[in-house]
């Protein structure tokens, strides 16, 4: 569901905000950006200001993290996604599962990548 979108003022980057189950949130960007996982976002978060049509990259990443920490809803993980060793995917999947967003690696990786991931980390899926 994409109710609105805004442009990131840094034209070389894109940011996606995904609201997950039970009010949990994931914010991810391109180009070795971090993947931020929040168990909750305060209502004042910039991602909820749909009338804002241009937002800075910092406002959506580190700035959001700083503001949410002040509001008492800090991120629980920020993972730089880079490389092909699947470490960042493993961290993200593990964190999401810990906060009740049950994701199996097979659900989010191609079959080829899933087999590589499984060789590197095994599959411990506790549902």
């Amino acid at each position: 569901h994409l109710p609105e979108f805004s442009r990131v003022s840094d034209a070389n980057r894109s940011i996606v905000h995904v609201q997950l189950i039970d009010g949990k949130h994931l914010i991810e960007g391109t180009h070795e950006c971090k993947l931020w996982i929040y168990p909750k976002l305060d209502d004042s978060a910039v991602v909820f200001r749909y009338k804002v049509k241009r937002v800075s990259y910092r406002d959506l990443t580190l700035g959001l993290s700083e503001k949410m920490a002040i509001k008492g809803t800090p991120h629980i993980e920020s993972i730089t996604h880079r490389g092909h060793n699947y470490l960042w995917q493993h961290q993200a999947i593990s964190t999401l599962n810990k906060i009740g967003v049950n994701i199996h690696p097979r659900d989010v990786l191609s079959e080829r990548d899933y087999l590589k991931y499984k060789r590197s980390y095994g599959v411990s899926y506790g549902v």
Side-chain angles (χ1 to χ4, degrees):
H1 175 66
L2 185 63
E4 293 286 336
F5 71 92
S6 300
R7 295 197 183 272
V8 178
S9 57
D10 179 344
N12 297 326
R13 297 185 181 180
S14 295
I15 302 284
V16 174
H17 163 243
V18 179
Q19 185 166 343
L20 304 167
I21 62 168
D22 298 330
K24 294 158 178 79
H25 299 265
L26 182 142
I27 301 200
E28 181 179 22
T30 58
H31 300 89
E32 296 189 4
C33 175
K34 289 186 176 186
L35 174 117
W36 304 81
I37 299 173
Y38 292 86
K40 182 180 179 194
L41 285 174
D42 185 78
D43 291 340
S44 66
V46 67
V47 297
F48 299 133
R49 294 189 349 224
Y50 298 125
K51 293 183 182 194
V52 175
K53 294 300 175 189
R54 191 166 283 284
V55 182
S56 77
Y57 176 79
R58 187 182 194 291
D59 285 347
L60 292 165
T61 55
L62 185 58
L64 179 63
S65 174
E66 292 167 346
K67 287 180 181 177
M68 292 305 103
I70 291 168
K71 294 286 188 175
T73 59
H75 72 275
I76 58 167
E77 192 73 71
S78 63
I79 306 160
T80 301
H81 57 83
R82 68 171 157 244
H84 299 288
N85 63 2
Y86 302 99
L87 179 59
W88 73 269
Q89 291 99 325
H90 179 65
Q91 290 173 311
I93 291 167
S94 295
T95 299
L96 290 169
N97 280 307
K98 284 178 191 171
I99 64 169
V101 180
N102 296 320
I103 295 178
H104 192 283
R106 188 180 313 121
D107 297 334
V108 293
L109 298 171
S110 69
E111 185 63 30
R112 181 178 173 205
D113 288 344
Y114 172 66
L115 293 174
K116 289 179 185 178
Y117 176 97
K118 198 165 126 176
R119 279 193 296 274
S120 296
Y121 300 102
V123 178
S124 58
Y125 184 66
V127 181

